[in-house]
Amino acid sequence: MTDQIAFLGTGLMGSRMATRLLSAGYRLRVWNRSIEKAAPLAAKGASVAATPVEACRDVALTVMMLADAPAVRSVLFEQGAAGSLARGGLVIDMSSNAPPDAREHARRLAARGVAHLDAPVSGGPGGAEEGTLAIMVGGRDADFERAAPILRHLGRPTLVGPAGTGQLAKLCNQTIVALTIGAVAEALLLAKAGGADPAKVREAVAGGYADSPIMRVHGKRMVDRAFAPGGPSRLQLKDLRNILDSADAAGLRLPLASRVTELYESLVANGDGDLDHSALFLELERMNR
Amino acid sequence: MTDQIAFLGTGLMGSRMATRLLSAGYRLRVWNRSIEKAAPLAAKGASVAATPVEACRDVALTVMMLADAPAVRSVLFEQGAAGSLARGGLVIDMSSNAPPDAREHARRLAARGVAHLDAPVSGGPGGAEEGTLAIMVGGRDADFERAAPILRHLGRPTLVGPAGTGQLAKLCNQTIVALTIGAVAEALLLAKAGGADPAKVREAVAGGYADSPIMRVHGKRMVDRAFAPGGPSRLQLKDLRNILDSADAAGLRLPLASRVTELYESLVANGDGDLDHSALFLELERMNR
């Protein structure tokens, strides 16, 4: 078994995370679907693998940062990375998926004697670069202890429960993000409609109970009407559908999450799915025209 | 004309604010409906007036921190404080009212040659004591310039527009507060229903985009099931009704604010109006039983 770590997926987030691990002294084998995105990491000391199988051969530890569940399944089970992992190895999947996907991946890996943690993140490319990501982890205690020293180079890992609950926590995070965007949008529309200056209202409430990173970042986007993404609305809608699916599976009604999902459905149906998720403001403007 | 400032309403918030002004060297005449709440300020150098009329006689500047619009109207126009104010004087009303109330008070005072600012606050007794309140001001530029040096001893004043828009900004603040409470409540319910530890999920998302003072303070109340107020739900409902009234008056539909208002209506109808507004969590639990 090699002491190298396999790192699969070196896009916007993954390249920054891999760079932090290299700086911390870890030896990395990196792979990316389009190899040119992995190449800059070679200059920083990584070895670049041509396939996931090659990257994972005999490694004890694999970190994944891929686009979605189909990409994870393709890499692990269709392209066959799972088969080349060492028995007793650990896969840390930091991609954002639905909780049932994470549970399925954990089950299929366990059948081959490989452990799995779901460990999605919040904090964006800035947080990835600074190593300040919120890392929400689902899985077993012993596996978390094994992963934590590595994850601490990337941010603040918290074990929230068994397999799949890391992804569930990410969905909880996204529930709050979507609804806070909606709250800020309605507040700024009310300010304008009532004759106040929305930019001044945003400044005035700063530091109080209505303050939040969403108010600071996405509230500013609304005031400036600057809706280039950022996080596109169609991905926010994907998250919201996963949120309502998870709630349904648990027999849970979430009236506010349901309402904001309808609003994002309209926003995307009206052709604004590629705009930043703060563009919910535009949908609320539209329905008030 | 005297250089003393009249300070009307020395309850939980007002007593702390008056203390800060005394410490800054201002000479204060204080009045409170129950005089025993004004008495401790005498020891700090204030003169205590027996009536609003006596407090306001010939002063150029009056600060009010009263319970609601009926209390403000009673003090100014029924008990007659407005009649004893010096012409050219300024009333800074820091109480939380509806925007039409503030506009009416400004109009009636203007008829007597007295200026008016609506300047409600966010930040609670802690912010009042530390002098870090968010102060949302509606009124005229010149009056704001006159008030600002005093208000800066109490927090961060921002002029957001003409008369009434300070109160409107406070309603915008409360829109965000109510919806963020709802968002955090739904997220924590989802976490629990899906098998994650809600306390751990709350910790895990800290520092990311889902973080906020509401998550830190009210999310903790939900996890601990600690719903003694704080800010009672019936007052949150009063604010939400004012929000929807202001939206209606402007021809504006606010779908998320409407939905969260219905939830607070149920919470209060179910007898929990005196619990902290974070008890919206209980209403969402109830509808999922």
Side-chain angles (χ1 to χ4, degrees):
Chain A
M1 205 183 292
T2 167
D3 66 343
Q4 286 187 305
I5 294 175
F7 198 110
L8 311 181
T10 57
L12 197 63
M13 295 291 290
S15 60
R16 287 165 170 80
M17 294 156 70
T19 297
R20 287 197 64 84
L21 293 181
L22 288 167
S23 302
Y26 290 98
R27 299 178 56 224
L28 255 53
R29 277 195 216 145
V30 302
W31 170 84
N32 196 65
R33 195 178 47 175
S34 38
I35 198 164
E36 67 275 13
K37 286 191 186 161
L41 291 165
K44 298 174 181 170
S47 65
V48 177
T51 65
V53 168
E54 187 188 318
C56 292
R57 184 162 295 133
D58 293 329
V59 302
L61 214 136
T62 300
V63 178
M64 296 195 295
M65 192 63 181
L66 299 167
D68 50 22
V72 171
R73 268 194 296 277
S74 165
V75 161
L76 285 180
F77 306 115
E78 291 159 26
Q79 299 178 60
S84 68
L85 288 164
R87 283 189 75 84
L90 170 62
V91 170
I92 309 172
D93 185 10
M94 306 187 75
S95 325
S96 285
N97 307 318
D101 294 318
R103 286 194 295 269
E104 183 202 322
H105 302 162
R107 203 167 41 237
R108 291 178 71 178
L109 287 170
R112 299 167 179 265
V114 174
H116 175 276
L117 293 171
D118 45 300
V121 304
S122 176
E129 193 152 331
E130 310 272 309
T132 58
L133 294 169
I135 308 175
M136 298 153 262
V137 189
R140 290 161 30 149
D141 277 354
D143 297 324
F144 179 75
E145 293 311 319
R146 204 168 147 197
I150 293 156
L151 294 178
R152 286 199 191 99
H153 292 286
L154 307 177
R156 206 171 41 74
T158 310
L159 182 68
V160 300
T165 59
Q167 298 295 350
L168 182 71
K170 176 72 188 278
L171 294 182
C172 295
N173 188 86
Q174 297 306 87
T175 302
I176 296 172
V177 165
L179 278 167
T180 311
I181 285 176
V184 169
E186 291 194 1
L188 294 179
L189 282 169
L190 178 61
K192 190 176 174 201
D197 177 345
K200 290 287 180 189
V201 170
R202 181 178 157 277
E203 284 171 33
V205 306
Y209 273 118
D211 206 0
S212 66
I214 296 294
M215 178 54 124
R216 288 192 289 279
V217 175
H218 300 85
K220 178 134 179 42
R221 282 173 166 276
M222 294 173 203
V223 165
D224 296 343
R225 306 185 78 84
F227 298 119
S233 295
R234 62 183 162 70
L235 291 187
Q236 179 69 68
L237 179 57
K238 188 196 82 171
D239 287 341
L240 284 164
R241 286 171 175 159
N242 281 334
I243 287 160
L244 296 185
D245 285 348
S246 294
D248 277 348
L252 191 65
R253 283 169 56 208
L254 300 179
L256 296 170
S258 300
R259 193 73 189 87
V260 80
T261 302
E262 292 167 6
L263 295 171
Y264 273 104
E265 297 274 10
S266 303
L267 177 69
V268 172
N270 281 321
D272 288 336
D274 287 330
L275 295 185
D276 186 74
H277 50 169
S278 52
L280 190 62
F281 182 82
L282 296 179
E283 189 56 32
L284 289 160
E285 266 191 344
R286 208 147 35 208
M287 66 184 279
N288 279 296
R289 215 168 271 153
Chain B
M1 202 183 293
T2 167
D3 66 344
Q4 286 187 304
I5 293 175
F7 198 110
L8 310 181
T10 58
L12 197 64
M13 295 292 290
S15 60
R16 288 165 171 79
M17 294 156 70
T19 297
R20 287 197 64 84
L21 293 182
L22 287 167
S23 302
Y26 289 99
R27 298 178 57 225
L28 254 55
R29 277 196 216 145
V30 302
W31 169 84
N32 195 66
R33 194 178 49 175
S34 39
I35 198 166
E36 66 275 13
K37 287 191 186 162
L41 291 166
K44 298 175 182 169
S47 65
V48 177
T51 64
V53 168
E54 188 188 318
C56 291
R57 184 163 293 132
D58 293 329
V59 304
L61 213 136
T62 299
V63 178
M64 295 195 296
M65 192 62 183
L66 299 166
D68 50 21
V72 171
R73 268 193 296 276
S74 165
V75 161
L76 285 180
F77 306 114
E78 291 159 26
Q79 300 178 59
S84 68
L85 289 164
R87 284 190 74 85
L90 171 62
V91 171
I92 308 172
D93 185 9
M94 307 187 75
S95 326
S96 284
N97 307 319
D101 294 317
R103 285 193 296 268
E104 183 203 324
H105 302 163
R107 199 166 45 237
R108 290 177 72 176
L109 286 171
R112 299 166 179 267
V114 174
H116 176 276
L117 293 171
D118 45 301
V121 305
S122 176
E129 193 152 329
E130 310 273 308
T132 57
L133 295 168
I135 308 175
M136 298 153 262
V137 189
R140 291 161 30 150
D141 277 354
D143 297 323
F144 179 75
E145 292 310 320
R146 205 167 145 198
I150 293 156
L151 294 177
R152 285 198 192 100
H153 292 287
L154 306 177
R156 208 171 39 76
T158 310
L159 182 67
V160 300
T165 58
Q167 298 296 351
L168 182 72
K170 176 73 188 277
L171 293 181
C172 295
N173 189 85
Q174 296 306 88
T175 302
I176 296 171
V177 165
L179 278 167
T180 311
I181 286 176
V184 169
E186 291 195 0
L188 294 179
L189 282 170
L190 178 62
K192 190 176 172 200
D197 178 345
K200 289 287 179 189
V201 169
R202 181 178 157 277
E203 283 171 34
V205 306
Y209 274 117
D211 205 0
S212 66
I214 296 294
M215 178 54 125
R216 288 192 289 277
V217 175
H218 300 85
K220 178 133 177 47
R221 282 173 166 276
M222 295 174 203
V223 166
D224 297 342
R225 306 186 78 83
F227 297 118
S233 296
R234 61 183 162 71
L235 291 186
Q236 179 70 67
L237 179 57
K238 188 196 83 172
D239 286 342
L240 284 164
R241 286 171 176 158
N242 281 333
I243 287 160
L244 296 186
D245 285 348
S246 294
D248 278 348
L252 191 65
R253 283 168 57 207
L254 300 178
L256 296 170
S258 300
R259 193 73 188 87
V260 81
T261 303
E262 293 167 5
L263 295 171
Y264 272 105
E265 298 273 10
S266 303
L267 177 69
V268 172
N270 281 321
D272 288 336
D274 287 330
L275 296 185
D276 187 74
H277 50 169
S278 52
L280 190 63
F281 183 81
L282 297 179
E283 189 55 32
L284 289 160
E285 267 190 344
R286 210 149 30 210
M287 67 184 278
N288 279 295
R289 214 168 270 153

